[in-house]
Amino acid sequence: MLALDLLLQGIVQGAIYALIALGLTLIYGLLRILHVAHAALFTLGGYIGVIVTNETGSLPLALIVAMVSVGLLGIVIYRLAYKPLLDQSPLVALIASIGLFIAFEEVFRLVFGSYGLSFENPPLRTQVNLGGGLLISHSKLLVIGMAIVILSILAWLSTRTRTGIAWKATVTDSQIASSFGINIERVRYLNFFIGSALAAAAGVMVALLTNLVEPTMGAVASYKALAIIVLGGLGSVRGTLVASIAIGIVESFGTVYVGHILDRDALAFAFLVIALMIRPQGLFKAG
Amino acid sequence: MLLSVSDVTVQFGGVTAVADLSLQVDRGELIGIIGPNGAGKTTLMRVISGLVRPTSGSILLNGQDVTGWTIDRRVRSGLALAQQIVKPLATFTLAENVALACGSRRMGSPWQAMTTVDRNAELQRGRELLELVGIAAAADDYPSAVPLGYLKCLELARALALEPELILLDEPLAGLNQAEAAQMADRIASLVTESRSIILIEHNLREVIRICPKLFVQDQGRYLDFGATEEVMANPKVRAAYLGEGAI
Amino acid sequence: MLSVKNIQCGYGDIVAVHDLSFDAAAGEVFALIGANGAGKTTTIMALAGHLPPNQGSITVDGCDISAGPARERLQYGIALVPEGRRVFPDLSVEDNLTVGGHTLERARLATNRDNVYQIFPRLAERRSQLAGSLSGGEQQMLAIARAMMADPKILLVDELSLGLMPKMVDECYQVVDTLKKQGLLIVLVEQSTQRALDVADQVAVLESGHLAWQGSGDEARTDSSVVSAYLGT
Amino acid sequence: MAYEVILLTTMAIMVLFALSLNVITGFCGQVSLGHAAFYGIGAYVGAMLTKAGWPLLIALLPAAGIAGLIGFFVGLMSLRVRHDFLAITTMGIAFLFVGFVRKQEWLGGEIGISGIPAFGFGRIGLLVVALACAGLFAAVTVYLKRSWMGFGFDSIADDEDTARILGIDVPRFKLWAFVIGTAGAGVAGALYAHHVRYIGPDSFGFVESVTVLAMVIIGGIGSVWAVALAAAVLSVLPLWFQFIDDYKLLIYGLLVFAVMRFSPNGIAGALQSFRRRLR
């Protein structure tokens, strides 16, 4: 029973990682930038989620506001920070992004305070019995459900709509894509919007699970998202999903069985380092 | 025998880029490797230089089996490579680019490299080599400031600086105009000595035929012909490979 | 229809094509031949809008398009079949065609796709297969089909026969012939000189970025000096 | 007086720390996002040894040695990955270090190590040692830069494939850079432990790794003097101006971003291009 419980826990965590990491992968796939500041958008999403819920009492509204506003901020970041750096070495963008991330974290601390915010009436705290004594809270169910819904919508968008197909074409070969009339710049904006909105959704969900948002909440989770996309093969959507769930599960089992040697975060990175030593190109090579 | 390539096959994924090729090069030879685009010439070159590991087959350099060696080790034992896409070190002046190559033999051991400071002799030698290839005037310029023709010459000077017994040249004439190409071809021919051989991959058939006494022809990764230039060029299979099926 | 006047293009300080001019009309095959590095692909990329010329002009039916971005070339009827095919390997055959018809209205997209499948029945059979799993010849077909989706007037074809089995080369040339008869202008770059000469109405031989010879297809076919200039024998 | 001594000691230690990363990232072009791990290794080794009765000056040697040895193995692993993968792998190493230390009771676990003995020759003595170490390391790296090893590093940072074609044994050069750089960080860490006399896992986290990388980058990748200057200024800025302390990280972040955005070659690069323009 413990094993099942841990598995479930791992999947919930993995689903959140997947939402954060997917945005990073989308951005890496298109621009070859490791967008560390993505972490800040995740945190901001969490804050907006809590604040809007507390003001209006509506969680769905909060989720939408968080996703849209953070998505727009993502576009602004691309336009002001990354676009001018595209012809530099990718490390320049990486380091600029780290700088931006640190600055954002501090802004959150200064604006929202160091001690974090919570929901006034924490939504969805009740537990459901899945049978056999396996309990799960509504919020966790929502996280899994949301992840499935969002990923399905994304899958539908990218395989069934012309915009989605154009986007995939741009990722593989933007020069040729532009030859067929695709506006590359618009695809990039869209990419940043969707990726950032996903991070915001993940932020709201983490806020739901822990009932706490704090300025530093982005740090570890998002470094882990970097680890995940590297592990997934950088730019491979499928690899990212597999790696997210894998790291979620490794963590949840690892904390119980080897937690006395390594802490939770170190476990994920130990897994990353070992996996990269065996497959330096990540689990899946990007197409 | 300076270089002996035996039964080399290279597969990428499911594609066979080079199939069962063998090639022998003696001291003092200048051999042209030709073949249509996609013939696997560059792959063969990369196998000889060590940038690509063959799926099967072996490479002997001076009688030593170097098949598993890294490229830098091959370079320190007498091989030099000038690539088709020129790759100057962008943060080095042309003279420094060549000087670094002049000191390559001491670069096998970091300790030796660490305990040596003086680089004047190499910089001097670098200037001499730039003079030899005709671009001494640009010795103190950075690669971004000089035309492509100069960079091609730089590749050559750098290869010479390694004091190699065998130089691999991948399309040194590509992108040069007719006069420049002829000049470069003459320069290449003049570099062959009793102790220095050159393998030349080139699309500019006019110049290859003019300067190379022997040709090796491959098509779609396979061996087509190897021998004296005139005989090879008279071979109908070779002409067909170049002109398409209709020419037979 | 297509008029190129004294264009010069290159990368940074490096000039890859010097002072090239030609005119070509609908229903023609204009063949650009020459060795590797002679500047053929550079010319094609300039026509496709990926490499704006430093000097000179490119006009289509009197409109100067030299400076416009690649994305707008289809508006002037120019479509590209790039070197190495560059189909989108992770997309299905059908989705590759959808990208080709990105600028079309929805209804038109379906019609054109059906038309293209008529010309390339083999692609229709493989419509849901990933493009990356096609053979080299099928990918070349797909690259042509993708370019045909937006009803171009001018087709730029870079290295049609490169790396293909002889049988597939024949099929590709048959397609070129069909398209030409439909009234398209085809600008064809080829390594395989003989094949290009067989179909060409006009021929330009490039050498090291300079125009070495220019004339009609008939002249080129009868004048063996064109071939020998290229082969150097 | 005492305050200035503390300030200067902090400065000297950070200069040493930044210069040690400069060997790996600046000279050899290998971006490390986990350099604080080696600073931490040196700090823990130094602290454990002096608590066991070793004199600090002798404890510096094993601090350098063990950090360098672990650096060697990390370097060995890093040979398999490049660029972005390398940056993330080194970041992983840093998290591994912190996560490992946190769970080790004999290293003080979460609580860390307190009561680290003061240096026998007092605060001024420690300052002299720190200045000497930083000065010595600076001299060594200036020498390295001028030697053929520096020439080799330059070529690897420029384009490692081309470096190989010119006969340079790239993996061995990289390993040397890692060993020299991590050993230097080890010394800096041991000095730091005796400077603040309390260390814990959180003293060596990701922020510290990024901070030191920021110093190297803001100074200008590869330039010994500019990096030393940037480290000196940036390390004491928040101490000098107490009111800035609250915004310290915000300013760091914005500075790193601004330098990358407007002058990717750092202050040294900006000066160089300014000088070129004057000519």
mmCIF file of all heavy atoms in Angstrom, chain A residues 28 80 84 95 98-99 102-103 106 109 223 234 259 261 263 269 273 276-277 280, chain D residues 77 80 84-85 88-89 92 95 99 102-104 206 210 217 246 249-250 253 261:
data_model
loop_
_atom_site.group_PDB
_atom_site.id
_atom_site.type_symbol
_atom_site.label_atom_id
_atom_site.label_comp_id
_atom_site.label_asym_id
_atom_site.label_seq_id
_atom_site.Cartn_x
_atom_site.Cartn_y
_atom_site.Cartn_z
ATOM 1 N N TYR A 28 13.256 25.996 -25.328
ATOM 2 C CA TYR A 28 14.564 25.508 -25.754
ATOM 3 C C TYR A 28 14.486 24.977 -27.186
ATOM 4 O O TYR A 28 15.344 25.256 -28.013
ATOM 5 C CB TYR A 28 15.090 24.408 -24.820
ATOM 6 C CG TYR A 28 16.491 24.023 -25.198
ATOM 7 C CD1 TYR A 28 17.565 24.720 -24.680
ATOM 8 C CD2 TYR A 28 16.738 23.030 -26.142
ATOM 9 C CE1 TYR A 28 18.853 24.432 -25.078
ATOM 10 C CE2 TYR A 28 18.019 22.739 -26.542
ATOM 11 C CZ TYR A 28 19.077 23.441 -26.011
ATOM 12 O OH TYR A 28 20.344 23.164 -26.414
ATOM 13 N N LEU A 80 12.134 41.727 -24.682
ATOM 14 C CA LEU A 80 13.122 42.652 -24.110
ATOM 15 C C LEU A 80 14.431 41.959 -23.760
ATOM 16 O O LEU A 80 15.498 42.561 -23.863
ATOM 17 C CB LEU A 80 12.556 43.323 -22.855
ATOM 18 C CG LEU A 80 11.325 44.193 -23.084
ATOM 19 C CD1 LEU A 80 10.912 44.850 -21.781
ATOM 20 C CD2 LEU A 80 11.598 45.255 -24.144
ATOM 21 N N PRO A 84 17.196 40.251 -28.280
ATOM 22 C CA PRO A 84 18.457 40.882 -28.677
ATOM 23 C C PRO A 84 19.666 39.954 -28.506
ATOM 24 O O PRO A 84 20.739 40.276 -29.004
ATOM 25 C CB PRO A 84 18.585 42.063 -27.694
ATOM 26 C CG PRO A 84 17.256 42.208 -27.050
ATOM 27 C CD PRO A 84 16.614 40.880 -27.084
ATOM 28 N N ILE A 95 23.118 32.925 -18.888
ATOM 29 C CA ILE A 95 23.573 33.688 -17.730
ATOM 30 C C ILE A 95 22.690 34.923 -17.528
ATOM 31 O O ILE A 95 22.325 35.262 -16.405
ATOM 32 C CB ILE A 95 25.059 34.038 -17.886
ATOM 33 C CG1 ILE A 95 25.856 32.743 -17.791
ATOM 34 C CG2 ILE A 95 25.515 34.994 -16.823
ATOM 35 C CD1 ILE A 95 27.235 32.817 -18.332
ATOM 36 N N ILE A 98 19.731 33.761 -15.735
ATOM 37 C CA ILE A 98 19.945 33.550 -14.298
ATOM 38 C C ILE A 98 19.865 34.890 -13.570
ATOM 39 O O ILE A 98 19.229 35.007 -12.518
ATOM 40 C CB ILE A 98 21.308 32.870 -14.056
ATOM 41 C CG1 ILE A 98 21.276 31.444 -14.584
ATOM 42 C CG2 ILE A 98 21.642 32.868 -12.569
ATOM 43 C CD1 ILE A 98 22.608 30.735 -14.514
ATOM 44 N N GLY A 99 20.499 35.910 -14.149
ATOM 45 C CA GLY A 99 20.455 37.234 -13.546
ATOM 46 C C GLY A 99 19.026 37.725 -13.402
ATOM 47 O O GLY A 99 18.611 38.211 -12.348
ATOM 48 N N ILE A 102 17.173 35.869 -10.568
ATOM 49 C CA ILE A 102 17.506 36.339 -9.220
ATOM 50 C C ILE A 102 16.808 37.667 -8.951
ATOM 51 O O ILE A 102 16.224 37.872 -7.881
ATOM 52 C CB ILE A 102 19.037 36.479 -9.074
ATOM 53 C CG1 ILE A 102 19.666 35.089 -9.170
ATOM 54 C CG2 ILE A 102 19.398 37.142 -7.765
ATOM 55 C CD1 ILE A 102 21.163 35.102 -9.159
ATOM 56 N N ALA A 103 16.851 38.545 -9.938
ATOM 57 C CA ALA A 103 16.212 39.851 -9.772
ATOM 58 C C ALA A 103 14.711 39.683 -9.512
ATOM 59 O O ALA A 103 14.141 40.312 -8.609
ATOM 60 C CB ALA A 103 16.455 40.704 -11.002
ATOM 61 N N GLU A 106 13.885 38.563 -6.036
ATOM 62 C CA GLU A 106 14.006 39.649 -5.070
ATOM 63 C C GLU A 106 12.824 40.600 -5.161
ATOM 64 O O GLU A 106 12.335 41.095 -4.148
ATOM 65 C CB GLU A 106 15.314 40.412 -5.299
ATOM 66 C CG GLU A 106 16.535 39.624 -4.891
ATOM 67 C CD GLU A 106 16.442 39.176 -3.443
ATOM 68 O OE1 GLU A 106 16.448 40.020 -2.538
ATOM 69 O OE2 GLU A 106 16.343 37.950 -3.226
ATOM 70 N N ARG A 109 10.073 39.175 -3.275
ATOM 71 C CA ARG A 109 10.293 39.293 -1.825
ATOM 72 C C ARG A 109 9.959 40.712 -1.368
ATOM 73 O O ARG A 109 9.313 40.909 -0.348
ATOM 74 C CB ARG A 109 11.749 38.960 -1.509
ATOM 75 C CG ARG A 109 12.023 38.705 -0.032
ATOM 76 C CD ARG A 109 13.418 38.131 0.160
ATOM 77 N NE ARG A 109 14.459 38.999 -0.384
ATOM 78 C CZ ARG A 109 14.951 40.056 0.250
ATOM 79 N NH1 ARG A 109 14.512 40.374 1.437
ATOM 80 N NH2 ARG A 109 15.884 40.804 -0.319
ATOM 81 N N TYR A 223 14.965 24.629 -10.988
ATOM 82 C CA TYR A 223 16.255 24.032 -11.364
ATOM 83 C C TYR A 223 16.018 22.596 -11.752
ATOM 84 O O TYR A 223 16.632 22.059 -12.656
ATOM 85 C CB TYR A 223 17.266 24.073 -10.210
ATOM 86 C CG TYR A 223 17.475 25.447 -9.644
ATOM 87 C CD1 TYR A 223 17.714 25.642 -8.300
ATOM 88 C CD2 TYR A 223 17.437 26.558 -10.482
ATOM 89 C CE1 TYR A 223 17.892 26.904 -7.783
ATOM 90 C CE2 TYR A 223 17.609 27.822 -9.966
ATOM 91 C CZ TYR A 223 17.837 27.997 -8.612
ATOM 92 O OH TYR A 223 18.007 29.241 -8.106
ATOM 93 N N LEU A 234 16.648 17.690 -24.137
ATOM 94 C CA LEU A 234 16.628 19.075 -24.579
ATOM 95 C C LEU A 234 15.802 19.291 -25.834
ATOM 96 O O LEU A 234 16.260 19.047 -26.945
ATOM 97 C CB LEU A 234 18.052 19.591 -24.812
ATOM 98 C CG LEU A 234 18.771 20.103 -23.567
ATOM 99 C CD1 LEU A 234 20.186 20.493 -23.906
ATOM 100 C CD2 LEU A 234 18.043 21.266 -22.934
ATOM 101 N N GLY A 259 16.451 8.348 1.920
ATOM 102 C CA GLY A 259 16.357 9.715 2.435
ATOM 103 C C GLY A 259 17.349 10.016 3.538
ATOM 104 O O GLY A 259 17.666 11.177 3.794
ATOM 105 N N ILE A 261 20.450 9.328 3.439
ATOM 106 C CA ILE A 261 21.762 9.676 2.865
ATOM 107 C C ILE A 261 21.686 10.980 2.082
ATOM 108 O O ILE A 261 22.565 11.830 2.174
ATOM 109 C CB ILE A 261 22.255 8.570 1.914
ATOM 110 C CG1 ILE A 261 22.193 7.216 2.610
ATOM 111 C CG2 ILE A 261 23.679 8.867 1.459
ATOM 112 C CD1 ILE A 261 22.478 6.056 1.696
ATOM 113 N N ASP A 263 19.055 14.230 0.541
ATOM 114 C CA ASP A 263 17.731 14.822 0.633
ATOM 115 C C ASP A 263 17.028 14.773 -0.722
ATOM 116 O O ASP A 263 17.617 14.413 -1.737
ATOM 117 C CB ASP A 263 17.775 16.232 1.244
ATOM 118 C CG ASP A 263 18.264 17.263 0.254
ATOM 119 O OD1 ASP A 263 18.749 16.864 -0.819
ATOM 120 O OD2 ASP A 263 18.170 18.468 0.559
ATOM 121 N N PHE A 269 18.852 15.227 -8.534
ATOM 122 C CA PHE A 269 20.049 15.578 -9.295
ATOM 123 C C PHE A 269 21.020 14.408 -9.398
ATOM 124 O O PHE A 269 21.720 14.277 -10.396
ATOM 125 C CB PHE A 269 20.711 16.811 -8.675
ATOM 126 C CG PHE A 269 19.974 18.062 -9.004
ATOM 127 C CD1 PHE A 269 19.117 18.643 -8.099
ATOM 128 C CD2 PHE A 269 20.087 18.625 -10.264
ATOM 129 C CE1 PHE A 269 18.406 19.786 -8.416
ATOM 130 C CE2 PHE A 269 19.379 19.765 -10.590
ATOM 131 C CZ PHE A 269 18.535 20.344 -9.663
ATOM 132 N N VAL A 273 22.503 13.224 -12.827
ATOM 133 C CA VAL A 273 23.925 13.089 -13.138
ATOM 134 C C VAL A 273 24.228 11.672 -13.610
ATOM 135 O O VAL A 273 24.905 11.467 -14.622
ATOM 136 C CB VAL A 273 24.784 13.473 -11.909
ATOM 137 C CG1 VAL A 273 26.240 13.134 -12.153
ATOM 138 C CG2 VAL A 273 24.617 14.951 -11.602
ATOM 139 N N LEU A 276 22.855 11.134 -17.083
ATOM 140 C CA LEU A 276 23.620 11.839 -18.123
ATOM 141 C C LEU A 276 24.959 11.161 -18.385
ATOM 142 O O LEU A 276 25.471 11.204 -19.501
ATOM 143 C CB LEU A 276 23.868 13.291 -17.715
ATOM 144 C CG LEU A 276 22.752 14.268 -18.033
ATOM 145 C CD1 LEU A 276 23.212 15.679 -17.749
ATOM 146 C CD2 LEU A 276 22.317 14.144 -19.486
ATOM 147 N N MET A 277 25.532 10.545 -17.349
ATOM 148 C CA MET A 277 26.791 9.845 -17.566
ATOM 149 C C MET A 277 26.578 8.653 -18.493
ATOM 150 O O MET A 277 27.424 8.313 -19.299
ATOM 151 C CB MET A 277 27.382 9.354 -16.236
ATOM 152 C CG MET A 277 27.927 10.458 -15.363
ATOM 153 S SD MET A 277 29.082 11.520 -16.250
ATOM 154 C CE MET A 277 28.164 13.042 -16.349
ATOM 155 N N PRO A 280 24.829 10.791 -22.453
ATOM 156 C CA PRO A 280 25.149 12.228 -22.414
ATOM 157 C C PRO A 280 24.189 13.080 -23.241
ATOM 158 O O PRO A 280 24.156 14.285 -23.072
ATOM 159 C CB PRO A 280 26.557 12.302 -22.985
ATOM 160 C CG PRO A 280 27.073 10.916 -22.990
ATOM 161 C CD PRO A 280 25.911 9.996 -23.006
ATOM 162 N N MET D 77 33.751 13.393 -15.252
ATOM 163 C CA MET D 77 32.369 13.194 -15.670
ATOM 164 C C MET D 77 31.955 14.251 -16.692
ATOM 165 O O MET D 77 31.233 13.953 -17.638
ATOM 166 C CB MET D 77 31.443 13.275 -14.453
ATOM 167 C CG MET D 77 31.592 12.065 -13.568
ATOM 168 S SD MET D 77 30.713 12.107 -12.010
ATOM 169 C CE MET D 77 29.527 13.336 -12.199
ATOM 170 N N ARG D 80 32.105 14.080 -20.589
ATOM 171 C CA ARG D 80 31.094 13.417 -21.414
ATOM 172 C C ARG D 80 30.024 14.382 -21.907
ATOM 173 O O ARG D 80 29.294 14.061 -22.827
ATOM 174 C CB ARG D 80 30.423 12.285 -20.623
ATOM 175 C CG ARG D 80 31.334 11.086 -20.430
ATOM 176 C CD ARG D 80 30.618 9.968 -19.689
ATOM 177 N NE ARG D 80 29.486 9.405 -20.396
ATOM 178 C CZ ARG D 80 29.578 8.539 -21.377
ATOM 179 N NH1 ARG D 80 30.745 8.147 -21.802
ATOM 180 N NH2 ARG D 80 28.493 8.059 -21.958
ATOM 181 N N ASP D 84 25.375 23.364 -22.694
ATOM 182 C CA ASP D 84 24.211 23.422 -21.819
ATOM 183 C C ASP D 84 24.170 22.223 -20.880
ATOM 184 O O ASP D 84 23.871 22.353 -19.699
ATOM 185 C CB ASP D 84 22.926 23.423 -22.651
ATOM 186 C CG ASP D 84 22.868 24.617 -23.572
ATOM 187 O OD1 ASP D 84 23.620 25.573 -23.329
ATOM 188 O OD2 ASP D 84 22.073 24.584 -24.519
ATOM 189 N N PHE D 85 24.494 21.048 -21.418
ATOM 190 C CA PHE D 85 24.465 19.852 -20.597
ATOM 191 C C PHE D 85 25.476 19.972 -19.460
ATOM 192 O O PHE D 85 25.217 19.567 -18.332
ATOM 193 C CB PHE D 85 24.795 18.620 -21.444
ATOM 194 C CG PHE D 85 23.662 18.154 -22.305
ATOM 195 C CD1 PHE D 85 23.500 18.638 -23.592
ATOM 196 C CD2 PHE D 85 22.749 17.228 -21.829
ATOM 197 C CE1 PHE D 85 22.449 18.206 -24.381
ATOM 198 C CE2 PHE D 85 21.702 16.785 -22.613
ATOM 199 C CZ PHE D 85 21.549 17.275 -23.894
ATOM 200 N N ILE D 88 24.232 22.305 -16.659
ATOM 201 C CA ILE D 88 23.217 21.679 -15.819
ATOM 202 C C ILE D 88 23.823 20.563 -14.956
ATOM 203 O O ILE D 88 23.448 20.385 -13.795
ATOM 204 C CB ILE D 88 22.070 21.117 -16.690
ATOM 205 C CG1 ILE D 88 21.472 22.228 -17.552
ATOM 206 C CG2 ILE D 88 20.994 20.492 -15.826
ATOM 207 C CD1 ILE D 88 20.907 23.382 -16.787
ATOM 208 N N THR D 89 24.777 19.829 -15.519
ATOM 209 C CA THR D 89 25.406 18.768 -14.732
ATOM 210 C C THR D 89 26.131 19.356 -13.526
ATOM 211 O O THR D 89 26.006 18.861 -12.409
ATOM 212 C CB THR D 89 26.404 17.975 -15.603
ATOM 213 O OG1 THR D 89 25.723 17.516 -16.754
ATOM 214 C CG2 THR D 89 26.946 16.776 -14.849
ATOM 215 N N GLY D 92 23.796 20.256 -10.966
ATOM 216 C CA GLY D 92 23.378 19.052 -10.248
ATOM 217 C C GLY D 92 24.384 18.679 -9.172
ATOM 218 O O GLY D 92 24.007 18.306 -8.058
ATOM 219 N N PHE D 95 23.849 20.756 -6.087
ATOM 220 C CA PHE D 95 22.703 20.307 -5.292
ATOM 221 C C PHE D 95 23.021 18.998 -4.570
ATOM 222 O O PHE D 95 22.606 18.782 -3.434
ATOM 223 C CB PHE D 95 21.473 20.135 -6.192
ATOM 224 C CG PHE D 95 20.746 21.417 -6.421
ATOM 225 C CD1 PHE D 95 20.989 22.170 -7.559
ATOM 226 C CD2 PHE D 95 19.825 21.884 -5.501
ATOM 227 C CE1 PHE D 95 20.326 23.360 -7.770
ATOM 228 C CE2 PHE D 95 19.158 23.079 -5.709
ATOM 229 C CZ PHE D 95 19.411 23.821 -6.841
ATOM 230 N N GLY D 99 22.775 18.499 -0.635
ATOM 231 C CA GLY D 99 21.857 17.459 -0.183
ATOM 232 C C GLY D 99 22.564 16.387 0.634
ATOM 233 O O GLY D 99 22.014 15.841 1.592
ATOM 234 N N ARG D 102 23.694 17.887 4.169
ATOM 235 C CA ARG D 102 22.512 18.047 5.013
ATOM 236 C C ARG D 102 22.187 16.793 5.819
ATOM 237 O O ARG D 102 21.659 16.884 6.920
ATOM 238 C CB ARG D 102 21.327 18.341 4.097
ATOM 239 C CG ARG D 102 20.484 19.516 4.494
ATOM 240 C CD ARG D 102 19.292 19.581 3.565
ATOM 241 N NE ARG D 102 19.430 20.633 2.555
ATOM 242 C CZ ARG D 102 19.459 21.926 2.833
ATOM 243 N NH1 ARG D 102 19.380 22.333 4.076
ATOM 244 N NH2 ARG D 102 19.585 22.808 1.864
ATOM 245 N N LYS D 103 22.465 15.644 5.238
ATOM 246 C CA LYS D 103 22.059 14.389 5.871
ATOM 247 C C LYS D 103 23.190 13.725 6.650
ATOM 248 O O LYS D 103 23.036 12.624 7.157
ATOM 249 C CB LYS D 103 21.563 13.406 4.789
ATOM 250 C CG LYS D 103 20.313 13.870 4.081
ATOM 251 C CD LYS D 103 19.093 13.692 4.960
ATOM 252 C CE LYS D 103 17.850 14.212 4.259
ATOM 253 N NZ LYS D 103 16.666 14.104 5.110
ATOM 254 N N GLN D 104 24.351 14.356 6.731
ATOM 255 C CA GLN D 104 25.478 13.725 7.416
ATOM 256 C C GLN D 104 25.633 14.296 8.824
ATOM 257 O O GLN D 104 26.039 15.429 9.000
ATOM 258 C CB GLN D 104 26.784 13.955 6.620
ATOM 259 C CG GLN D 104 26.705 13.519 5.166
ATOM 260 C CD GLN D 104 26.213 12.098 5.001
ATOM 261 O OE1 GLN D 104 26.752 11.170 5.607
ATOM 262 N NE2 GLN D 104 25.184 11.913 4.182
ATOM 263 N N PHE D 206 23.125 27.153 -4.426
ATOM 264 C CA PHE D 206 23.130 27.570 -5.833
ATOM 265 C C PHE D 206 23.373 29.067 -5.962
ATOM 266 O O PHE D 206 24.098 29.511 -6.858
ATOM 267 C CB PHE D 206 21.789 27.184 -6.454
ATOM 268 C CG PHE D 206 21.703 27.475 -7.908
ATOM 269 C CD1 PHE D 206 22.462 26.752 -8.819
ATOM 270 C CD2 PHE D 206 20.872 28.481 -8.385
ATOM 271 C CE1 PHE D 206 22.384 27.024 -10.168
ATOM 272 C CE2 PHE D 206 20.795 28.757 -9.734
ATOM 273 C CZ PHE D 206 21.559 28.030 -10.624
ATOM 274 N N VAL D 210 26.068 30.954 -8.324
ATOM 275 C CA VAL D 210 25.715 31.950 -9.327
ATOM 276 C C VAL D 210 26.406 33.278 -9.030
ATOM 277 O O VAL D 210 26.870 33.968 -9.934
ATOM 278 C CB VAL D 210 24.184 32.132 -9.388
ATOM 279 C CG1 VAL D 210 23.830 33.291 -10.277
ATOM 280 C CG2 VAL D 210 23.546 30.866 -9.897
ATOM 281 N N ILE D 217 31.812 36.840 -14.713
ATOM 282 C CA ILE D 217 31.235 37.341 -15.960
ATOM 283 C C ILE D 217 31.202 38.855 -15.999
ATOM 284 O O ILE D 217 31.523 39.478 -17.009
ATOM 285 C CB ILE D 217 29.830 36.767 -16.129
ATOM 286 C CG1 ILE D 217 29.979 35.319 -16.564
ATOM 287 C CG2 ILE D 217 29.049 37.536 -17.163
ATOM 288 C CD1 ILE D 217 28.815 34.494 -16.226
ATOM 289 N N ASP D 246 19.411 44.924 1.584
ATOM 290 C CA ASP D 246 18.116 44.364 1.252
ATOM 291 C C ASP D 246 17.970 44.125 -0.248
ATOM 292 O O ASP D 246 17.261 43.233 -0.676
ATOM 293 C CB ASP D 246 17.032 45.336 1.734
ATOM 294 C CG ASP D 246 15.904 44.576 2.399
ATOM 295 O OD1 ASP D 246 16.164 43.451 2.871
ATOM 296 O OD2 ASP D 246 14.790 45.106 2.429
ATOM 297 N N LEU D 249 20.732 41.137 -3.716
ATOM 298 C CA LEU D 249 20.543 40.138 -4.760
ATOM 299 C C LEU D 249 19.847 40.722 -5.981
ATOM 300 O O LEU D 249 20.118 40.334 -7.112
ATOM 301 C CB LEU D 249 19.743 38.963 -4.218
ATOM 302 C CG LEU D 249 20.597 37.933 -3.484
ATOM 303 C CD1 LEU D 249 19.724 36.862 -2.874
ATOM 304 C CD2 LEU D 249 21.611 37.309 -4.436
ATOM 305 N N LEU D 250 18.959 41.679 -5.719
ATOM 306 C CA LEU D 250 18.270 42.328 -6.836
ATOM 307 C C LEU D 250 19.295 43.019 -7.729
ATOM 308 O O LEU D 250 19.263 42.900 -8.956
ATOM 309 C CB LEU D 250 17.263 43.338 -6.295
ATOM 310 C CG LEU D 250 16.488 44.139 -7.346
ATOM 311 C CD1 LEU D 250 15.669 43.218 -8.225
ATOM 312 C CD2 LEU D 250 15.606 45.169 -6.697
ATOM 313 N N GLY D 253 21.405 40.476 -9.585
ATOM 314 C CA GLY D 253 20.642 39.913 -10.686
ATOM 315 C C GLY D 253 20.575 40.864 -11.861
ATOM 316 O O GLY D 253 20.886 40.493 -12.996
ATOM 317 N N ARG D 261 23.317 41.523 -21.392
ATOM 318 C CA ARG D 261 22.453 42.115 -22.412
ATOM 319 C C ARG D 261 23.209 43.160 -23.225
ATOM 320 O O ARG D 261 23.059 43.257 -24.429
ATOM 321 C CB ARG D 261 21.243 42.721 -21.703
ATOM 322 C CG ARG D 261 20.296 43.551 -22.527
ATOM 323 C CD ARG D 261 19.455 42.704 -23.433
ATOM 324 N NE ARG D 261 18.472 43.536 -24.106
ATOM 325 C CZ ARG D 261 18.767 44.403 -25.058
ATOM 326 N NH1 ARG D 261 20.023 44.525 -25.442
ATOM 327 N NH2 ARG D 261 17.831 45.132 -25.628
#
